[in-house]
Amino acid sequence: MYKVVYNGEMDKRQGKSVTGKVIPELLEKDPKVVYLDADLMSCIGTLKLAKETDRAIECGIAEANMVGVAAGLAAEGFKPICHSFGIFASRRCFDQAFLSGGYAKNDLTILGSDAGVSAAMNGGTHMPFEDMALYSALPGATVIDVSDPTCLESVLRQCPDRPGVKYIRFSRKDYAKVYEEGSELPIGKAITLKEGSDVVIFACGLMIHEAMKAARTLAGDGIDAAVVDCFTVKPIDREAVAAWAKKCGAVVAAENHNRFGGLYSAISQVLLEEAPVPAGCVAVEDEFGEVGPQSYLSERFGLTAEHIVSVAKEVIARKKLTK
Amino acid sequence: MEAQESKQVKALATKIRLGILEAIHSVGSGHIGGSLSIADVLAVLYGREMRYDPKNPAWEGRDKLVTSKGHCGPAVYATLAVEGFFPYEELKTMNKPGTRLPSHTDRNKTPGIDMTTGSLGQGTSLAAGMAYGEKLKKSDCRVFCIVGDGESNEGQCWEAFAFAAAKKLSNLVVLLDWNKKQLDGYLADCMPMASFEEKFKAFGFDTVTVNGNDVDALAAAIERTRKGGDKPYAIVMDTVKGAGIPDVENIMMNHSIPVGDADFEKWTAELKAQLAELEG
């Protein structure tokens, strides 16, 4: 069960406070859960665990080995959760996640923090705009872009028992509050945040907040926009995407990721196969990241409510032309 | 090892070599050099050291083998077939459509294969994770990991070795097949790795170097690792690529070669004569 409580306010909890609370709880509750980190425990509030239990494993700055060790533990019947920054949790250990994890059927949960522009002051070297694309190409993988701290908590609790490789990207810092604390969000299900009939905005991660702001602006212009949270990017909720696309006849996908290989790609496949309607996206336009405050980077890469509004109007115009 | 047991293990190594030929000849070519070089250590592991049950390959109490140099699949398949994990005839299905015996070892396909490998280096971390898991379970099962000398070019191996020492994985035994050659030629020419023994010692392993094609030396070195302690073990196996079949040993580029009918018959006859002598 879940309850949408979005009103534009920020969530008092941060991503890292959720990991700092939930990972110890999972270790406590299930003796098969193990947690591995690559010298970034301090960043997600779990550092004390390494001294408390052998099931919290400090692997040092060696992500490839961390994921391999995790896969070995999975073969022994354990349920590993690995963490690093999104760039290292994807690019730096991809062959290990792919072969030692997915191909070998060793189930893994991999947490990638500092999704997209939330890498902010660490800059372009630390800014994953391609992590979802990589994991989407791993057969059977689950790819999640967390919508708020409650969503992070919910998916974190579901992932250890879910088969395959699960990749969860999240921001350690500020999120707008979307769901009531304690809500359970079933992986694989898209959630309607706002009903609408003129255009549907499919959003994930930090773009949920922008999509909701955009819907309010569009309402002021007499446009009734639906907003759907697609926190599970893979497997995408085909049924919900097709139904909303058919109902509204115009689609915008909004993601804090490259336009290739993430939410827009997943949505586009459903549209082409089931509901070919005009569509557009608000995403990173095939660029590398750069350094700066998150607010600057959101503007710099066009990941804003204003941009969603203009793309929404553009796809609605195309819808009218095709009628 | 007593003389009698030594003879039995040598006979097993010979049977493994026959099985390698069976599998590779049935496909026409394959990774023969690095398969033959580890036949002796496989004979020691499966002939006297490891606990396993061919009738119950997933037995919880078994010791585990990770062949990180996954391309030596033919050698492991030959061993498993001789030990009764699956019918010997099945060796002839290697690499054929729908086979349970793919060129590189796969835990989800072959009874008795404990881990999937093929992308070099990855087996070292997998083995370390398995050894860590056994420790968490407070089991006395051990994990053996065969690593290629060329494979050690991969940085992941050294990440895994640092991890194994840091976590005191004394239930992990790394068996490094120092056969001096990789695919493109000698390590010395492709990518020299300096002293393996010194490297392992520096990483914090209990380390010895032995003649890796001498079952008695191997048995003694591996037996030593039963004592546990607080260090992982490394046995640098000084081997010959292609060991046990002189014609193959003498081919410089013997990583993967064709094995035609004439070669198969000649080499099989040589090995069978050797076997008759050992079993006579």
Side-chain angles (χ1 to χ4, degrees), chain B residues 128-141:
Chain B
M130 291 160 78
Y132 196 101
E134 294 293 345
K135 290 240 176 192
L136 282 179
K137 290 193 272 190
K138 307 212 182 310
S139 97
D140 62 352
C141 300

Side-chain angles (χ1 to χ4, degrees), chain A:
Chain A
M1 284 299 292
Y2 58 85
K3 190 175 173 193
V4 178
V5 295
Y6 179 88
N7 65 4
E9 284 175 17
M10 300 310 281
D11 201 310
K12 289 191 187 70
R13 297 199 295 170
Q14 294 184 321
K16 68 177 173 188
S17 65
V18 171
T19 46
K21 175 186 141 224
V22 178
I23 291 173
E25 283 176 16
L26 292 171
L27 287 167
E28 177 78 26
K29 198 186 76 189
D30 185 346
K32 290 292 181 193
V33 170
V34 288
Y35 157 59
L36 304 92
D37 210 310
D39 197 29
L40 291 174
M41 289 185 171
S42 301
C43 298
I44 61 163
T46 53
L47 184 60
K48 64 178 178 15
L49 290 173
K51 288 198 172 63
E52 291 173 358
T53 169
D54 288 343
R55 288 188 292 120
I57 308 167
E58 175 60 81
C59 296
I61 309 162
E63 297 78 12
N65 178 60
M66 170 176 73
V67 171
V69 166
L73 283 159
E76 293 285 325
F78 290 94
K79 303 170 188 173
I81 300 171
C82 301
H83 165 255
S84 184
F85 287 154
I87 35 156
F88 308 130
S90 56
R91 300 199 304 260
R92 199 72 198 238
C93 57
F94 189 64
D95 192 35
Q96 288 71 22
F98 194 98
L99 287 176
S100 294
Y103 182 81
K105 294 193 169 65
N106 290 316
D107 299 343
L108 305 172
T109 300
I110 298 176
L111 289 169
S113 54
D114 290 7
V117 291
S118 80
M121 295 305 185
N122 271 329
T125 57
H126 283 55
M127 200 159 288
F129 289 147
E130 65 295 314
D131 50 341
M132 296 204 288
L134 285 165
Y135 278 105
S136 289
L138 196 162
T142 298
V143 178
I144 289 168
D145 194 4
V146 161
S147 13
D148 80 345
T150 298
C151 175
L152 176 57
E153 174 158 359
S154 177
V155 298
L156 206 41
R157 290 188 192 285
Q158 292 171 67
C159 278
D161 289 313
R162 186 179 167 87
V165 174
K166 289 81 55 175
Y167 178 70
I168 305 171
R169 74 195 306 251
F170 69 103
S171 165
R172 286 184 289 148
K173 302 195 186 88
D174 299 334
Y175 275 106
K177 190 175 178 69
V178 181
Y179 299 102
E180 185 175 75
E181 205 172 320
S183 288
E184 287 169 21
L185 308 171
I187 290 171
K189 192 171 157 37
I191 293 175
T192 303
L193 300 178
K194 181 188 170 302
E195 302 273 344
S197 57
D198 295 327
V199 61
V200 55
I201 305 163
F202 296 113
C204 60
L206 293 170
M207 296 309 288
I208 303 270
H209 187 32
E210 301 305 313
M212 292 298 276
K213 286 191 279 183
R216 199 164 50 200
T217 305
L218 288 164
D221 295 340
I223 295 169
D224 187 17
V227 179
V228 177
D229 178 359
C230 293
F231 66 92
T232 312
V233 172
K234 186 188 178 193
I236 194 77
D237 185 345
R238 294 183 72 90
E239 210 178 316
V241 169
W244 274 111
K246 283 176 189 162
K247 181 177 177 192
C248 296
V251 168
V252 180
E255 61 185 318
N256 169 25
H257 186 272
N258 197 323
R259 60 150 52 224
F260 298 104
L263 180 65
Y264 186 45
S265 292
I267 298 281
S268 298
Q269 290 195 14
V270 181
L271 298 187
L272 278 168
E273 289 159 13
E274 298 192 31
V277 300
C281 76
V282 168
V284 175
E285 292 293 332
D286 207 24
E287 289 191 85
F288 294 108
E290 65 178 60
V291 76
Q294 191 173 316
S295 55
Y296 159 77
L297 294 167
S298 296
E299 291 286 340
R300 159 73 181 81
F301 292 104
L303 307 178
T304 61
E306 295 72 29
H307 192 196
I308 295 175
V309 167
S310 74
V311 174
K313 288 180 176 172
E314 186 264 321
V315 291
I316 290 169
R318 275 199 275 140
K319 170 169 76 166
K320 286 176 182 155
L321 278 177
T322 57
K323 271 193 174 163

